[in-house]
Amino acid sequence: MHSSGPRKTIHRATFIACCMLMMIVPLAYAQQVTSTINGRILDQGDAVLPGVTVTVTNVATGVVRTAVTNEEGLFSIAGLGTGVYVVKTDLSGFAPASRENVRLDVSQTLTVDFKLSLAILTETLTVTAQEPLIETTQSNLANTLDATELQYL
């Protein structure tokens, strides 16, 4: 038995629809729905700072992502969702810096540059003094005499 005309047409239409769907789905996944924060970190004299740890925190979700600047002082953190972020820097010998309320939209690449200043070194001196021991439970008066003083008594 051969398929009748209308049934053959339905199978053909279903096959074509499935093929079209298989071609459209990869295109949908190819579209970028995440965003990127990148930037360059310099010191006050405009020299690049490699090795700076950059931390990006999503304010709403608390998700934290980090990157380290390369030899040109550049960093890039991709795959971020939309939302508001805090971007912080950390490098020994330099004061930490941060930017709050950094808003990312869909498929956005945002540049956040920093100029870091030297950390101010502070010294803390702690003096611990011990009070002299005093007997407070008795009212005795005592004195020590040497041998010469005893002879004159």
Side-chain angles (χ1 to χ4, degrees), residues 7 15 21 23-25 29 31 35 49 57 71 73 81 85-86 96 108 110 117 119 122 124 130 132 137 150:
R7 209 170 202 194
F15 177 74
L21 185 61
M23 290 187 303
I24 292 172
V25 169
Y29 282 112
Q31 292 180 351
S35 299
L49 290 175
T57 305
E71 64 278 349
Y85 289 84
V86 174
Q108 182 180 15
L110 188 64
S117 58
T122 58
T124 303
Q130 196 171 21
T137 60
L150 282 175

Side-chain angles (χ1 to χ4, degrees), residues 125-131:
L125 178 61
T126 303
V127 177
T128 304
Q130 196 171 21
E131 295 184 26

Side-chain angles (χ1 to χ4, degrees), residues 11-143:
H11 287 315
R12 184 176 291 154
T14 304
F15 177 74
I16 291 172
C18 286
C19 288
M20 290 179 67
L21 185 61
M22 291 171 67
M23 290 187 303
I24 292 172
V25 169
L27 292 176
Y29 282 112
Q31 292 180 351
Q32 183 180 2
V33 294
T34 60
S35 299
T36 302
I37 294 178
N38 61 28
R40 175 176 254 178
I41 302 182
L42 306 172
D43 68 7
Q44 292 296 314
D46 291 334
V48 297
L49 290 175
V52 178
T53 300
V54 180
T55 304
V56 176
T57 305
N58 185 308
V59 174
T61 64
V63 173
V64 176
R65 300 274 308 274
T66 60
V68 177
T69 57
N70 65 14
E71 64 278 349
E72 296 174 4
L74 300 172
F75 71 93
S76 182
I77 302 175
L80 301 171
T82 60
V84 176
Y85 289 84
V86 174
V87 183
K88 294 182 180 181
T89 66
D90 182 48
L91 181 63
S92 180
F94 287 87
S98 68
R99 298 264 171 79
E100 298 190 13
N101 298 319
V102 176
R103 177 170 295 285
L104 277 180
D105 293 320
V106 175
S107 302
Q108 182 180 15
T109 298
L110 188 64
T111 300
V112 180
D113 294 332
F114 287 92
K115 272 198 176 185
L116 301 185
S117 58
L118 290 173
I120 298 172
L121 296 178
T122 58
E123 289 186 30
T124 303
L125 178 61
T126 303
V127 177
T128 304
Q130 196 171 21
E131 295 184 26
L133 298 176
I134 299 175
E135 175 61 59
T136 60
T137 60
Q138 297 179 13
S139 61
N140 294 338
L141 182 58
N143 196 0

